Amino acid sequence: MKRREFLSTTLAMAAAGLAPRSARASDGLVEVLLDEPIGTIAPELHGQFTEHIGEVVYNGIWVGENSKIPNIGGIRKALVDHLRQLRVPVIRWPGGCFADSYNWRDGVGPRAARPVRTNFWDNTTQLCKAPDGPQKYDPNTFGTAEFMRFCQLSGAQPYVAANVRSLTSHDFDEWVEYCNSPAGSTTLAQTRATDGSRDPYNVLYWGIGNESWGCGGDFRPEEYAVEFRRFTSWVPDYGLKLRFIGSGPGAGGRDPQVPWTRGFMENLVAKSPRLLDRLYGFSMHYYCGTTGKGDSLEYSADDWYQMLWQADVMDSLVNQHWLALGDYDKERKVKLLVDEWGAWHRTTALGPAYLFSYVPSLRDALVTAITLDIFNRHAEKLAMCNDAQLVNNINTLFLAVEDRFVATTIFHVFDMYKSHQGGQSLRMVCDAPEISYGAGKTLWGLAGSASLHGKTLVVTVVNTHAREPRAAEVSLRGGEAKSVQVMVLTAPDIHAHNDFDHPNAVVPKTEQAGVSGSRFTWTFPPASVSKLEITLV
Ligand code: AHR
């Protein structure tokens, strides 16, 4: 029987109460098709994003060498330790909108001599209420050398976003020169050596602006295509194949902004199709907006489902922009990136200087898991994705206030999902009763992703139901489980969260599943993220 026939027959039989014994015990299906590979899951799909915004850089990452907070040359040690644990592959910096206001020269040379500049975000109403500090007036203590050091300590590749709105392509070339020119070769290589690194940083990833349709210059796509061409012509490469990333759309659920993608691509290839060789990737942004009162911790069951539904929109956005790229890039040279994503709630809790920060809950953990599963399922299309943002901000992995530091629910999802990195993404089909909510809305009950790593199969599954567990038949098409270890992240209350007083309110629990074979039943708890690490026969 063919796979799709098997699925429809099994589910139809189950619905009619006629299913075979093993299937009758379950009301869901998680089927992994080991002979249907999708593509390698680039570790970069688990990338992070850090911006000079609120308390992300100052206080979040940078505490200063003389701080009583444990640090490595001024960089918060607890953060570095956690990032190493995550095997964080890449970190984007310095923005975000900040990038198109940033003069990299302000952040090099002796720290004490660096200028203080008005931060891009100073205009926001919330920051107006904050006391004067580095969030409003950036002292530039954290510049290129400090960011590179942070990446090196964390084991991540740097991804640097250039300023297209308010600097020239010549400034960009010189930033590349500062970072990558060989030891002892140029005046800027000498500046870099004085800043702490005689050796070049060999930065590969360069973003050409950020949100160029908005804060990055209010360009039209055809105008931005001109800027992209100008900025990427004859950049000094020092023998490296630099990876230039085009600034794509800021997609919203109701408006995927495909015309930006089309407009840019059309104008790029109109000059010459050869220019596709310069475009390593094209990046879109998607924030699933908040629901109900907009609070990260106060929400109804309907708000819960609506937010998870909004997270799931990522799937169609990836498909739509990938299709649009393919109309201009027949050979599929250009990959898609999502270099900002996350759930954006109203700022709460930490104070006015912590722009866009909130305490993430179990709901945000599920948003994160749903999103990472989508990325895995589109492994052949995506080159990099960056959670916005690492610390003290939207979809944050950590909260850090002075010497207090806590890993949020979102951190734990990244920690669970790191097992997917570098694996072969496999087709996986999930089915479960749909959930009805709100006025006639529906959401799927189970979804996830699977990846193969030699004899280890990693399967992650989200049960979106706020109250009901879901017993599912797990079926391995083309494989057999010898043993299964399960890790589950959940809590009795859908509002559960970690904060400074309750750092371990939501942490994953591990158990040996005691199941084997090519089919077994597993019960996914309500409101949960599960990982099955399956050792194959
Ligand atoms: O992540 C916060 C902001 O959201 C970024 O600076 C910008 O790129 C986006 O609009």
Side-chain angles (χ1 to χ4, degrees), residues 49 51 53 96-97 121 210-211 285 287 340 344 389 394:
F49 167 42
E51 178 170 5
I53 182 175
C97 293
W121 295 100
N210 169 78
E211 298 197 347
H285 292 174
Y287 290 98
E340 290 185 25
W344 198 322
Q389 302 194 14
I394 311 155

Side-chain angles (χ1 to χ4, degrees), residues 7 11 28-31 428-432 445-449 460-462:
L7 283 172
L11 291 167
L29 179 75
V30 173
E31 190 184 38
M428 179 164 124
V429 180
C430 292
D431 217 319
L446 290 180
S449 65
T460 45
V461 177
V462 174

